[in-house]
Amino acid sequence: MVVLEQAAELREVGAGVLLWPNAMRVLRRLEVGAAVEEAGAVAADAALRSSGGTPLGADLAEKVVARFDAPLVVVHRGLLQTILLAALDQHVLRLGAECVGVVQDAVGVTVRLADGSTEQGDLVVGADGLHSQVRAALVGDGPPRYSGYTAWRGIVPLDRSLADRLRPGESWGRGCLFGVARLGGNQAYWWASARTGEGAGGSPAEEKATVERRFAVWHDPIPELIDATLEQAIVRSCQYDRPPLRRWSAGRVGLLGDAAHPMLASLGQGACQAIEDAAALGDAVGAGSDVSVALQAYGARRAPHAAAVIRRSRRVARLAHLRHPLAVAARDAFLRLR
């Protein structure tokens, strides 16, 4: 087995990631769950509030954890990457390997790389993200669809005063939302999103100013969290998804994660679904010698569920980003009643 990674070196990128109990069950099964829990922070609450701080419903974290018999863990993406890399056999990972094409025949698959070299194998799994070259070769369905939402994420150190006032969970307002969770090492991870046009954004200072302006009058301590975040620690990303695929493979080539099912961040399930994919793929390939049949079985098991999560993520995103005052008031009243 070889893992081809486009990046020339592995660096600490991104912000935090929420690993819901469905993903933690898989990581425990793969014997890396304990390391992930130690590196991150187990979330004890995940409440939903209005932009003014009014509770909009019961805390779901306890119910979800009890249902799946696993914790909700918040961890830095860089630490998660380090833990997963340590679990790989030596010499499996090849860096600086950008895929530009995939060709298969009756006996194997060849991956063509940007430097002119190739890799051969019995099967290829495209886990190359939103703009997957493997998906382009397999499906050819064009670029992903911009959702109309842009997200910002940041990690901020907590002093004693800020830590004592931190209220983990998510708050919904008019056309935007803001969420926060504790990280290990006396830090917090926050995320925000808003309806806005597609684009690359501005400088780090401009992006911080944008977030500060959007959430200036939200409940305590949201404005203070943003103010305490270094400009360089804020990551801006437009949110994209695609229509669900019915089939995730063709012959010896299959897809995994965002390459198969990019989804909006409204349920925090992007990374979690990719982790579930990996476990299901391993089960399918390990169950038989015919890789084409194994990939079909894997897709048949995972595609309907991932499609349901894509659709639900869209519905929740629309609900969270309502803009009309009457619609927002009705939404908040409905959530409080439920």
Side-chain angles (χ1 to χ4, degrees), residues 95-313:
L95 298 175
E98 179 184 356
C99 171
V100 296
V102 178
V103 179
Q104 63 175 310
D105 55 31
V107 296
V109 193
T110 299
V111 177
R112 294 188 293 107
L113 303 175
D115 63 3
S117 65
T118 60
E119 288 279 355
Q120 283 83 33
D122 294 326
L123 80 160
V124 166
V125 178
D128 47 343
L130 184 65
H131 301 283
S132 169
Q133 291 296 313
V134 179
R135 181 184 180 119
L138 203 65
V139 183
D141 56 349
R145 178 191 70 92
Y146 177 56
S147 65
Y149 313 118
T150 291
W152 294 267
R153 299 175 174 86
I155 291 178
V156 57
L158 300 174
D159 60 27
R160 180 63 180 270
S161 171
L162 198 52
D164 289 344
R165 289 180 288 118
L166 196 71
R167 292 192 283 176
E170 199 165 81
S171 301
W172 290 3
R174 289 178 56 188
C176 48
L177 64 82
F178 191 97
V180 63
R182 293 183 182 274
L183 268 180
N186 203 33
Q187 300 178 101
Y189 162 52
W190 61 258
W191 61 94
S193 68
R195 289 182 179 269
T196 186
E198 184 179 13
S203 67
E206 290 170 336
E207 290 303 315
K208 180 174 180 178
T210 296
V211 182
E212 287 180 319
R213 184 170 59 253
R214 286 187 178 274
F215 299 96
V217 297
W218 283 45
H219 68 77
D220 178 72
I222 289 175
E224 190 174 342
L225 276 172
I226 300 168
D227 181 65
T229 308
L230 294 175
E231 298 169 358
Q232 294 78 6
I234 298 176
V235 179
R236 180 189 194 273
S237 57
C238 293
Q239 294 193 43
Y240 298 86
D241 68 358
R242 293 180 182 271
L245 287 176
R246 292 185 178 180
R247 294 190 61 180
W248 288 10
S249 66
R252 297 173 174 270
V253 181
L255 301 171
L256 183 150
D258 280 353
H261 51 71
M263 59 186 63
L264 303 185
S266 51
L267 293 178
Q269 278 291 316
C272 298
Q273 291 302 306
I275 290 169
E276 286 193 356
D277 290 348
L281 177 63
D283 291 342
V285 172
S289 57
D290 190 315
V291 295
S292 177
V293 172
L295 287 174
Q296 289 179 30
Y298 152 70
R301 174 180 170 184
R302 290 292 303 150
H305 178 69
V309 178
I310 290 172
R311 291 190 289 267
R312 188 173 300 171
S313 297

Side-chain angles (χ1 to χ4, degrees), residues 23-24 26-38 80 83-88:
M24 287 305 303
V26 174
L27 294 176
R28 284 178 168 181
R29 174 186 158 194
L30 299 177
E31 299 181 355
V32 294
V36 172
E37 290 179 41
E38 184 177 354
L80 176 61
I83 293 168
L84 296 178
L85 181 61
L88 276 180

